[in-house]
Amino acid sequence: VAGVVSIFTRGGYTPQRISGEARGGTYHSGDASVALRGGITFTGGPNAEYSLSVSRHQTDGSDSFNNQFDENVVSGRADFDPDPNNTFGLTVRYTDSRYHYPTNSGGSVVDRNAFSSGDLIVLGAAYGHAFSRITTLTVNLASDETNGGTTDRPDTTGGDQYLSLDDIRRHSAEARLNFRDPGGRGVLTFGASLSAADQGSQSQGLASGYAYTSNFSAYRGNRAAYAQLLYSGVPGLTGV
């Protein structure tokens, strides 16, 4: 149970802006999205920016039956700078999807009801503080959880069937302290990070009249500390 999830979300704008788009194609394919972006700026005071978007994607697929796919996505971001020395940021993304597949293990188009489905939520938070012109602190927190599985009911009475469910969670925290050379020639960084991931999976089925079940769970945690010196005092040469 390991992996990295990254979110890339566009920042907000001032004044408010609303945009949308829609597309369609063959196989009853379609995409639609709406986005809202904006911000508030105060002279000599706090600044805030935000963005929010909602989208949907769907298609019937290219196979003759049971090949639909649909996905819904909601994402948002908010940034707040209460003063020149502090910054806060929040990000969120939610996705749910469902994919129907008609192929069996041999690739033949025979299954009329098998599908996989799942949802994913990702959360992120960031904080930055400037102690001075040369010393800064950044803290990042992240968390994501995936729930999903496969459903394959019998196509005929007494036929084989299979059900599965997976739950995967990841959490991380990182802090970095940077010391910059006033002359702009280098930066010294000290950092520490914590991460954890756990997974729980279960499945059950019926094959050739025999029932079976399976369960799996795992956990992993990591801790790390590091230091880095980036120096570019020699023209054309950068050392790490």
Side-chain angles (χ1 to χ4, degrees), residues 168-192:
I168 303 173
R169 294 175 292 184
R170 305 181 184 93
H171 312 285
S172 64
E174 182 180 25
R176 297 192 303 270
L177 187 62
N178 296 315
F179 299 92
R180 300 183 182 278
D181 174 23
R185 294 168 297 181
V187 57
L188 175 63
T189 301
F190 295 97

Side-chain angles (χ1 to χ4, degrees), residues 123-140:
L123 303 173
Y127 169 69
H129 177 72
F131 296 98
S132 66
R133 188 170 63 89
I134 64 173
T135 307
T136 59
L137 171 70
T138 59
V139 179
N140 294 286

Side-chain angles (χ1 to χ4, degrees), residues 16 18 50 57 59 63 130 143 176 183 187 204 208 210 229 231:
Q16 292 185 356
I18 299 177
Y50 60 86
H57 318 279
T59 180
D63 288 320
S143 178
R176 297 192 303 270
V187 57
Q204 57 183 330
S208 301
Y210 293 94
L229 175 61
Y231 181 73

Side-chain angles (χ1 to χ4, degrees), residues 11 46 118 148 177 206 238:
L177 187 62
L206 184 67
T238 300

